Amino acid sequence: MSLSARIPEVSLNIHATQRNPKHLNLMIRDADSETMVLMLDSQDVAVSIGSSYASHASKPSRVLLAIDRTPRETQSLLLITMGPSTNTSDIDRVIEALLGIVNRLRHLAGVVVDENEHVK
């Protein structure tokens, strides 16, 4: 099952097919990047913040702003890079960890997801 099928309001900041399949730049609505990184790190999942196009992670990427991401949306970005030894169980573990974290962050923020999978 795809990540976007498991976590509502996730979008790619890179081309869906014309990209390195081991590199994901995600925007996860209503989930703070820094908090996700810290929470994933506590579960031994290493990811990074922002965009590979940004020279400084704390500044919004000009590239992402040019593709109509708002400065607020750029604070919900997560970079996931898989290495040569990454396997399916590793990916499943990251998805499960991320699902729990995003659900927790959205719950704490009072964000409600309706039955049609849209964030209110």
Side-chain angles (χ1 to χ4, degrees):
M1 182 181 288
S2 73
L3 184 62
S4 59
R6 301 283 312 276
I7 303 173
E9 302 293 331
V10 170
S11 58
L12 289 174
N13 290 311
I14 52 181
H15 195 278
T17 59
Q18 296 177 1
R19 63 178 178 84
N20 180 338
K22 293 192 176 248
H23 184 104
L24 290 175
N25 183 314
L26 305 171
M27 196 277 298
I28 304 173
R29 186 171 166 189
D30 298 308
D32 178 71
S33 299
E34 291 181 13
T35 306
M36 285 188 289
V37 168
L38 291 171
M39 292 175 86
L40 285 165
D41 185 60
S42 74
Q43 296 183 39
D44 294 325
V45 175
V47 297
S48 57
I49 295 174
S51 166
S52 58
Y53 310 114
S55 59
H56 210 297
S58 64
K59 293 182 184 178
S61 161
R62 292 185 318 214
V63 172
L64 295 173
L65 293 173
I67 61 168
D68 295 326
R69 294 291 186 210
T70 66
R72 183 171 182 225
E73 287 175 328
T74 66
Q75 294 175 353
S76 295
L77 300 179
L78 204 58
L79 271 176
I80 301 174
T81 303
M82 293 159 272
S85 64
T86 302
N87 59 44
T88 304
S89 66
D90 295 328
I91 294 168
D92 290 341
R93 188 171 72 83
V94 171
I95 290 172
E96 287 302 315
L98 192 56
L99 176 62
I101 288 166
V102 170
N103 286 340
R104 188 174 332 149
L105 292 175
R106 288 177 175 169
H107 175 75
L108 290 171
V111 175
V112 178
V113 179
D114 70 21
E115 63 277 356
N116 294 320
E117 306 272 330
H118 296 288
V119 176
K120 292 182 179 178

